[in-house]
Every structure is written in C-alpha cells, then in structure tokens.
Amino acid sequence: MITSRWLVLYFITLFADLVLIGLNMDAFRYATKPLLVPLLAAYFLSSSADVPGKQRMWMYGALFSCFLGDVLLMFDTLFLPGLGSFLVGHLFYITFFLTIRYSNPPVPYCKYPLVFLNAAIIIGFILFLMPYLGNLAIPVIVYSLVISITVQSVIHAFHYRHQPAAWYCLIGAILFMLSDSLIALGKFYHPLPAGGILVMLTYGLAQAGLVHGSVKYYLQPQR
C-alpha cells in the first residue's frame, strides 16, 4: 500500500508538471520536475520486492543520474552536463538489466530481428540529424548509441511469455528513446508543436515503466 501511494504521488506530480508546461509557467516547474525521480526512488526503496543489493545500487545510480540530468537540463547553458548525466544513468540501467538477463535462467535468447531493427532506427535517426548537429555531433551520436543499448538490454533481459512485468520495462525503454529523440528534433532540427509536453509525457511514463516493471519482476516468484 505504501509503495502504491508513492506511485500515485509520482503521477500526480507528473500531471502537475505537464499542466505547468502547457501554461508556460516554467518557473513553477522547479518544484515539480526535480521531484519526479526522487518519488520513483522512494517507490523502489519502499517496495517489498526482493531486489539483490547490487541491483539496488545500479537502480539508485540510474535514478540519481537521471535526477541530476533533470535539474541540469532546466538550464539551457548546461545541456552537455545534463546529457552526460543521463548517459551515466543509461549505463546504470544497462548494467541493471544485463544483470537481470544473466540471473534469469535460462538466459533469454538473442532476438536478432529486433537487434537489427533497433540498430537501423538509431543509424537512420543519426544520419537524419547529422547535418544539424554541428560541434555537438559526437556527444549526440555517443548518447544515441548508448540509449539504443539500453533498449537492447531490456529486450534481452526477460522471458516475455512468462514474465509480464517485462512489458513495463520494454515500453519504458522505448518511450525513453522516443523522448530523447523528440528533444533532439526540437533542439537541432525544428521546434515541435507541444514539444515540451510530449517530451515530458514520454519521459515520465518511461521512467515509471522501467522502475515499476523492475519492482513487479522482483515481486514475482523467481524460478
């Protein structure tokens, strides 16, 4: 019951943040946006899920890095440090889900069609943006490749037929990649209609999916 309250508070805060974006009241977002990830961390911490100690460390590392990225990206002059913080967060997420994969026997088989599809999407997106990236080309390319690995690590962590919690994580990872793609399009290519709302909605649902799916996975009986 306690954990569900944290999750409810998270979605209430996310809704409030989206309303503030829609009303162009960015100054008030200093009270909503930085609160989102700590609420998810509290949800994860208060969960009764039997998460191994190292796994908890990887998750908290991911959430802290994302929290730091959220704060830094609220300042236009701190785009690169914010990007770097999220990149570190993705490295923690990758480690978290790879650890699940290799402690989830039998090790889930490699889904080659999805590997190639994901690679094609990322490469196509990078090639599309390349003429607009300027001196930020290398950081954006590196970040794009890392987030694609995050998606791959989630795809290959679970047995989807028998572990329904995996779908939350997969949808979360895909939405994370979509949110970051929207940020890149809006910053480097062309401002998007309602771009701020779309970015925050997909990001908020992404983080919730990754954390909630992980909690549900560790709440289920382990084989």
Side-chain angles (χ1 to χ4, degrees), residues 98-178:
L98 284 178
T99 306
I100 288 180
R101 170 179 167 81
Y102 291 107
S103 61
N104 187 15
V107 174
Y109 63 88
C110 191
K111 304 170 181 65
Y112 290 105
L114 295 180
V115 171
F116 296 132
L117 176 61
N118 186 29
I121 290 172
I122 289 297
I123 292 171
F125 186 73
I126 290 172
L127 291 176
F128 173 78
L129 276 186
M130 186 66 73
Y132 310 99
L133 296 178
N135 59 1
L136 291 178
I138 292 178
V140 172
I141 290 172
V142 170
Y143 184 85
S144 300
L145 293 175
V146 169
I147 195 172
S148 73
I149 297 172
T150 301
V151 175
Q152 296 286 13
S153 68
V154 174
I155 288 174
H156 293 93
F158 304 101
H159 302 282
Y160 286 84
R161 290 186 179 181
H162 312 295
Q163 296 170 337
W167 292 102
Y168 290 98
C169 296
L170 179 59
I171 292 171
I174 293 172
L175 286 176
F176 214 137
M177 186 165 66
L178 175 59

Side-chain angles (χ1 to χ4, degrees), residues 70-119:
D70 279 340
V71 174
L72 293 174
L73 288 181
M74 297 186 77
F75 304 92
D76 292 337
T77 58
L78 297 177
F79 177 76
L80 275 181
L83 190 69
S85 294
F86 273 107
L87 186 145
V88 173
H90 282 294
L91 294 177
F92 277 116
Y93 270 134
I94 289 167
T95 305
F96 179 86
F97 288 108
L98 284 178
T99 306
I100 288 180
R101 170 179 167 81
Y102 291 107
S103 61
N104 187 15
V107 174
Y109 63 88
C110 191
K111 304 170 181 65
Y112 290 105
L114 295 180
V115 171
F116 296 132
L117 176 61
N118 186 29

